[in-house]
Amino acid sequence: MKVIGITGGVGCGKSTVLDLVEKNFNAYVIKADEVGRHVLDKETKGYAQFVTLFGEAFLNGQGEVDREKLAREVFRNAGKLAVLNSIVHPLVKKYIVEEMARVRCMGRYDYFFVEAALLFEDHYELFCDEVWYIYADEVSRRARLLDSRGYSDEKTDSIMRNQLSEELFRKRCDYVLDNSGSVEETFEQLKKKLVVD
């Protein structure tokens, strides 16, 4: 089973690429963001750490983490983002490594794709056979973020400022998939890179 790390900036279409991979290739896909949403659920170790460090100001009426309020705060405050990352990312990485071992033991998949926006920052490349950079030009990224998430230019700018540059992504990744065009164009690139069952 080949382990492939997927990374790229916000709005580059990582989810679209992974949907294509999951539907058309013998691949298991896991997304760090989805795992990250669960490590702060109530009654978890992550939740307890979060409340200790952030207090109850970012909890909603049900005592759960108010993710919208938290997101607004951490993207304005690099210090609080660093604290949040220090809680969430080690727990996410631990879960993914354990899941990778479990899936490998199953012996059913040719590929294990792991997507993480902070792949290099959290050193996921250490257990990946290859790392792919999903690239899209800035105009396409901004249009996608406005269309799919309703992000303002200000919010998009603040997120992009906290991410690696295109130059660093290209330098550190083994393969660049250009996702600026159509889904069909992206799929053609995947077919050239992966063996279709």
Side-chain angles (χ1 to χ4, degrees):
M1 183 179 79
K2 189 171 192 176
V3 179
I4 299 174
I6 295 286
T7 193
V10 65
C12 67
K14 295 185 293 291
S15 293
T16 299
V17 171
L18 291 172
D19 286 344
L20 287 169
V21 163
E22 199 165 30
K23 290 174 184 170
N24 296 284
F25 303 90
N26 187 29
Y28 186 93
V29 170
I30 191 164
K31 300 176 184 177
D33 280 352
E34 290 180 3
V35 175
R37 281 194 274 277
H38 298 293
V39 299
L40 293 182
D41 288 347
K42 285 176 81 172
E43 311 302 326
T44 65
K45 180 181 176 183
Y47 178 87
Q49 290 176 330
F50 177 84
V51 173
T52 298
L53 293 171
F54 280 84
E56 297 184 4
F58 294 97
L59 302 180
N60 63 22
Q62 291 75 43
E64 298 164 340
V65 175
D66 185 333
R67 295 172 194 283
E68 286 184 24
K69 184 176 180 183
L70 179 62
R72 285 193 302 271
E73 183 65 23
V74 297
F75 284 116
R76 284 196 315 248
N77 186 318
K80 286 186 179 173
L81 178 61
V83 172
L84 180 64
N85 286 344
S86 75
I87 299 168
V88 172
H89 293 294
L91 295 171
V92 170
K93 188 175 181 181
K94 179 178 185 292
Y95 178 90
I96 289 174
V97 169
E98 289 171 354
E99 188 69 356
M100 183 175 60
R102 185 188 72 79
V103 171
R104 189 182 299 278
C105 287
M106 291 167 56
R108 287 180 33 204
Y109 294 95
D110 295 323
Y111 304 102
F112 183 96
F113 277 79
V114 56
E115 180 272 319
L118 299 176
L119 188 141
F120 290 113
E121 294 87 336
D122 288 335
H123 304 291
Y124 282 74
E125 79 277 11
L126 296 176
F127 58 78
C128 292
D129 298 306
E130 286 183 6
V131 177
W132 293 8
Y133 170 43
I134 310 304
Y135 165 79
D137 61 76
E138 188 171 332
V139 172
S140 298
R141 291 170 66 193
R142 287 182 178 278
R144 288 172 185 164
L145 291 168
L146 178 63
D147 183 52
S148 67
R149 303 184 198 178
Y151 284 6
S152 66
D153 283 340
E154 180 184 4
K155 181 164 186 173
T156 298
D157 288 342
S158 72
I159 296 170
M160 286 182 172
R161 273 195 303 272
N162 286 315
Q163 298 186 325
L164 293 178
S165 69
E166 179 187 338
E167 180 184 3
L168 279 174
F169 275 127
R170 286 182 179 273
K171 184 177 179 181
R172 298 184 71 181
C173 291
D174 302 300
Y175 175 69
V176 178
L177 189 148
D178 188 341
N179 194 33
S180 302
S182 69
V183 173
E184 291 75 22
E185 290 169 325
T186 297
F187 185 53
E188 286 303 313
Q189 292 173 76
L190 287 170
K191 284 199 296 188
K192 288 177 184 172
K193 189 69 178 162
L194 303 173
V195 177
V196 181
D197 276 353

